[in-house]
């Protein structure tokens, strides 16, 4: 397995261990350092001291916060050393786990996108940045928010499973494609109003939510008109790890782009210097006043040493990954909260370095839209096939299969000779029936080169079908001795991480037409994945989208009105799918199937075509 395709340093480190002692040092070093490392994206600022708690301490719990922290660290060290000793007693197993655990992150770091471009993986995610202004009991303009409304917003985030993340975490994600929580959001508050300290800061501590406060320096301590935070208040907030302070210019001009170059430079550069001098922390982010910027302003922001800049545009609000680059990260106004949190998605996981396939992960559904193609993907679990005795909807096949299958998609093509026929096009082998059924010789000759799907308890393979070799159980066992399931799919959509070109479909009927399409394969985390397109799409475009979705190898199993996907007992397509005799399913844990043949109630209905 080629773990590190693009980096000479990683190749050398992971493939040139010369002694067991080096291996032991590596394990101990990784575990020791891990005790003191926070999350991947680390805010480069002092950690706040725990706030005083006036609540009486119950008897028997009279230990300080520092003692608790120390005890936690000691506990982590002990746990890590125990695990490290286990790894060192089994070097091969230990090295495998090190590669699987740290490899994806190291690879993402060393292959990060050149600044200020945004990583392709991050472009597929949907991370909203919400922008707030003043928080005060009585609104003065429409975009003001009351303290009660703000807490209701926070409660809405909590009730909908949304995870606020820091701007540091977002930056790591945008540059490297590092994973984020499933439903992330970034909270930002502009202009340094007094309500930020009085109302927002206490709520952040109450809910444990991180946020960004953008401060223009002339406003600090200036209470003419609206109130603003004082330097003492900014210092207190900046010392809390939940808070990120961003520069927002010196005087908050209406439009940086129309200022003389010298004044524009002062607004950008001096605000950073003043904040750093007063707060004693590096200021890494800039927020354009009123969102106004151009190439010249962005260049000054870059030269001043900022890592990124936030903007806004009421007419062009985007998710963070859809921004032009890191010097123009888009935001949504807070009034869009209800809309954007329903779409929030942290993106696909990093490509796995797992040695072997992962058939133990829980089965999970993911809805996404890539290149304007709405998709539903279900990944995880143990893949199996179910060959029924006749034609039924996939929902019926799954319900009566006597397995603990969580999801299924319609499988291989079948004969049209009889309405209730379960005869397949090509050979078929299912672990549910434990019967190998050879394909018709006439059909087999037309299937040469199509993907033969082979499944075992430990792996999946997609190989070109050879009519002379693969029409017997002995023939497929020669390819995979532990094979439990086999059938011939329509065509590859993705092979070795690359979408297939038109010439590879060998004249497959309607491959380039827009149709509903069902597919199944293996993602970059080595998990079984099934799915459908919710709208009509051609095979080539679908393959391109699936690569962006993180699929490594994918075959098309069906298209048209037979296309069906069932998850947790419910059909996920927008129409009544035609009945079929074959399905690819994902078992939950534990992986238990019925050892007796699967017998379904006969149901004569309309048939589908090949």
């Amino acid at each position: 397995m080629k773990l590190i395709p693009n980096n000479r340093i990683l190749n050398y480190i992971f493939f040139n261990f010369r002694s067991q002692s080096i291996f032991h040092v590596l394990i101990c070093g990784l575990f020791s350092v891990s005790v003191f490392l926070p999350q991947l994206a680390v805010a480069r600022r002092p950690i706040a001291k725990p706030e005083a708690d006036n609540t009486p301490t119950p008897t028997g719990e009279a230990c300080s916060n520092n003692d608790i922290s120390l005890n936690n660290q000691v506990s982590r060290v002990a746990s890590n050393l125990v695990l490290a000793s286990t790894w060192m007693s089994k070097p091969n197993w230990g090295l495998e786990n090190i590669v699987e655990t740290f490899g994806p992150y190291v690879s993402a770091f060393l292959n990060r996108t050149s600044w200020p471009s945004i990583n392709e993986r991050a472009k597929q995610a949907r991370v909203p940045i919400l922008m707030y202004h003043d928080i005060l009991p009585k609104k003065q303009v429409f975009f003001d928010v009351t303290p009660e409304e703000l807490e209701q917003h926070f409660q809405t985030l909590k009730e909908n499973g949304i995870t606020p993340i820091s701007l540091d975490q977002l930056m790591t994600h945008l540059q490297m494609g590092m994973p984020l929580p499933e439903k992330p959001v970034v909270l930002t508050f502009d202009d340094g109003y007094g309500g930020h300290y009085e109302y927002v800061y206490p709520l952040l501590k109450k809910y444990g939510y991180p946020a960004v406060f953008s401060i223009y320096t002339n406003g600090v301590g200036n209470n003419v008109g609206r109130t603003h935070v004082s330097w003492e208040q900014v210092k207190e907030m900046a010392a809390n790890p939940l808070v990120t302070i961003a520069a927002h210019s010196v005087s908050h001009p209406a439009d940086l782009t129309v200022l003389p170059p010298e004044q524009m430079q002062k607004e950008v550069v001096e605000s950073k210097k003043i904040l750093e001098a007063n707060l004693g922390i590096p200021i890494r982010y800039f927020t354009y006043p009123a969102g106004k910027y151009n190439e010249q302003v962005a260049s000054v922001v870059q030269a001043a040493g900022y890592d990124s800049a936030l903007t806004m545009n009421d007419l062009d609000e985007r998710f963070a990954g859809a921004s032009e680059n890191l010097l123009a990260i888009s935001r949504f106004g807070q009034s869009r909260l209800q809309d954007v949190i329903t779409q929030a998605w942290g993106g696909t996981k990093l490509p796995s370095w797992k040695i072997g396939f992962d058939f133990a992960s829980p089965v999970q559904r993911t809805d996404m839209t890539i290149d304007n193609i709405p998709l539903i993907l279900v990944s995880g679990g143990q893949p199996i096939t179910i060959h029924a005795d006749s034609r039924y909807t996939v929902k019926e096949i799954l319900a009566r299969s006597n397995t603990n299958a969580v999801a299924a998609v319609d499988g291989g093509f079948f004969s049209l000779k009889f309405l209730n026929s379960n005869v397949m096009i090509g050979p078929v082998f299912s672990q549910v029936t434990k019967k190998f059924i050879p394909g018709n010789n006439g059909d087999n000759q037309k299937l040469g080169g199509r993907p033969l799907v082979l499944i075992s308890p430990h792996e999946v393979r997609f190989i070109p079908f050879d009519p002379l070799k693969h029409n017997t159980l002995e023939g497929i066992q020669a390819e995979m001795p532990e094979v439990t399931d086999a059938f011939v799919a329509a065509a590859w959509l993705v092979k070795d991480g690359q979408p297939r070109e038109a010439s590879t479909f060998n004249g497959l009927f309607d491959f380039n037409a827009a149709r509903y399409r069902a597919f199944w394969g293996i993602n970059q985390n080595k998990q079984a994945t099934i799915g459908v397109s919710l709208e009509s799409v051609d095979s080539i475009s679908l393959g391109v989208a699936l690569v962006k979705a993180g699929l490594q190898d994918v075959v098309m199993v069906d298209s048209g009105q037979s296309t069906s996907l069932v998850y947790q007992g419910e059909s996920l397509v927008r129409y009544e799918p035609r009945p079929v005799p074959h399905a690819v399913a994902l078992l939950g844990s534990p992986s238990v199937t019925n050892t007796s043949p699967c017998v379904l109630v006969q149901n004569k209905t309309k048939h589908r075509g090949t």
Side-chain angles (χ1 to χ4, degrees), residues 478-501:
E479 302 283 0
M480 179 184 284
E482 295 183 307
V483 63
T484 58
D485 299 82
F487 70 97
V488 180
W492 270 281
L493 295 171
V494 178
K495 191 173 184 179
D496 297 327
Q498 298 297 319
R500 302 296 278 167
E501 298 179 354

Side-chain angles (χ1 to χ4, degrees), residues 221-299:
N222 182 354
N223 294 322
V224 177
R226 294 178 182 245
T227 62
H228 289 79
V229 290
S230 66
W231 280 115
E232 289 73 19
Q233 291 170 339
V234 178
K235 289 177 183 178
E236 179 185 340
M237 292 195 301
N240 192 306
L242 291 173
V243 173
T244 298
I245 301 296
H248 199 30
S249 78
V250 174
S251 66
H252 200 291
D255 189 346
L256 286 172
T257 67
V258 300
L259 297 182
E262 298 80 7
Q263 186 178 348
M264 184 259 288
Q265 174 124 358
K266 178 181 178 181
E267 293 284 350
V268 173
V269 175
E270 290 300 315
S271 59
K272 179 179 173 70
K273 290 182 178 179
I274 293 171
L275 287 169
E276 290 180 341
N278 279 275
L279 304 179
I281 60 173
I283 301 298
R284 301 171 55 200
Y285 307 115
F286 187 81
T287 301
Y288 300 112
K292 302 291 182 62
Y293 77 99
N294 57 17
E295 185 175 346
Q296 182 182 11
V297 175
S299 296

Side-chain angles (χ1 to χ4, degrees), residues 306-601:
Y306 294 100
D307 290 347
S308 69
L310 301 175
T311 185
M312 57 169 283
N313 186 337
D314 292 337
L315 301 178
D316 185 20
E317 296 180 317
R318 309 180 187 180
F319 292 102
S323 306
E324 292 183 7
N325 53 53
L326 297 178
L327 289 171
I329 302 177
S330 298
R331 295 184 290 170
F332 292 92
Q334 51 81 19
S335 63
R336 296 284 308 279
L337 178 139
Q338 291 285 356
D339 176 36
V340 299
I341 64 173
T342 62
Q343 304 178 59
W345 177 51
T348 58
K349 297 180 180 179
L350 292 175
S352 174
W353 279 21
K354 185 172 179 63
I355 310 299
F357 291 83
D358 177 9
F359 293 158
S361 295
V363 179
Q364 295 182 326
R365 168 184 172 178
T366 303
D367 296 56
M368 63 181 72
T369 298
I370 298 178
D371 297 340
N372 296 318
I373 304 170
L375 304 169
I376 301 180
L377 275 63
V378 181
S379 300
Q382 177 79 40
I384 68 166
T385 65
I386 303 171
H387 185 203
D389 70 330
S390 185
R391 301 180 198 171
Y392 311 92
T393 65
V394 172
K395 183 176 179 179
E396 290 174 313
I397 291 177
L398 212 57
R400 307 180 186 218
S401 65
N402 291 326
T403 71
N404 67 330
V406 178
V409 70
D410 50 311
F413 288 118
F414 55 91
S415 172
L416 295 176
K417 188 173 182 180
F418 300 105
L419 293 178
N420 60 350
S421 170
N422 74 338
V423 176
M424 303 297 292
I425 304 295
V428 61
F429 184 41
S430 171
Q431 64 180 276
V432 174
T433 63
K434 299 189 182 301
K435 293 181 180 179
F436 179 87
I437 303 173
N440 177 277
N441 287 330
D443 291 333
N444 287 351
Q445 297 305 315
K446 302 174 184 177
L447 302 179
R450 290 194 185 187
L452 173 65
V453 178
L454 300 176
I455 301 172
S456 83
H458 311 293
E459 66 173 323
V460 170
R461 292 180 62 192
F462 306 96
I463 64 176
F465 176 65
D466 185 333
L468 299 179
K469 291 173 57 179
H470 300 143
N471 202 36
T472 64
L473 180 59
E474 294 74 18
I476 62 172
Q477 287 176 333
E479 302 283 0
M480 179 184 284
E482 295 183 307
V483 63
T484 58
D485 299 82
F487 70 97
V488 180
W492 270 281
L493 295 171
V494 178
K495 191 173 184 179
D496 297 327
Q498 298 297 319
R500 302 296 278 167
E501 298 179 354
S503 59
T504 64
F505 286 86
N506 298 322
L508 178 68
F509 176 74
D510 262 2
F511 79 92
N512 56 351
R515 305 184 71 180
Y516 298 114
R517 298 191 183 273
F519 51 86
W520 104 272
I522 300 296
N523 65 21
Q524 293 177 343
N525 292 309
K526 294 299 191 70
Q527 297 169 329
T529 301
I530 59 178
V532 295
S533 63
L534 292 180
E535 294 181 3
S536 298
V537 61
D538 66 272
S539 302
I540 300 167
S541 299
L542 178 58
V544 172
L546 293 177
V547 170
K548 294 179 180 179
L551 277 294
Q552 181 67 24
D553 289 284
V554 190
V555 296
M556 182 169 64
V557 286
D558 201 4
S559 62
Q561 292 295 124
S562 299
T563 299
S564 180
L565 178 63
V566 173
Y567 176 68
Q568 294 184 342
E570 297 298 325
S571 176
L572 302 184
V573 295
R574 300 167 177 171
Y575 47 84
E576 183 64 30
R578 294 172 181 168
V580 298
H582 190 257
V584 181
L586 301 178
L587 296 182
S589 182
S591 299
V592 179
T593 61
N594 186 9
T595 56
S596 60
C598 173
V599 180
L600 305 181
V601 177

Side-chain angles (χ1 to χ4, degrees), residues 171-194:
M171 275 290 293
T172 302
H173 169 73
L174 294 177
Q175 286 186 287
M176 307 176 199
M178 290 290 192
L180 289 174
E182 183 179 356
K183 298 178 180 179
V185 68
V186 178
L187 303 173
T188 67
F189 297 83
D190 288 5
D191 300 336
Y193 291 112

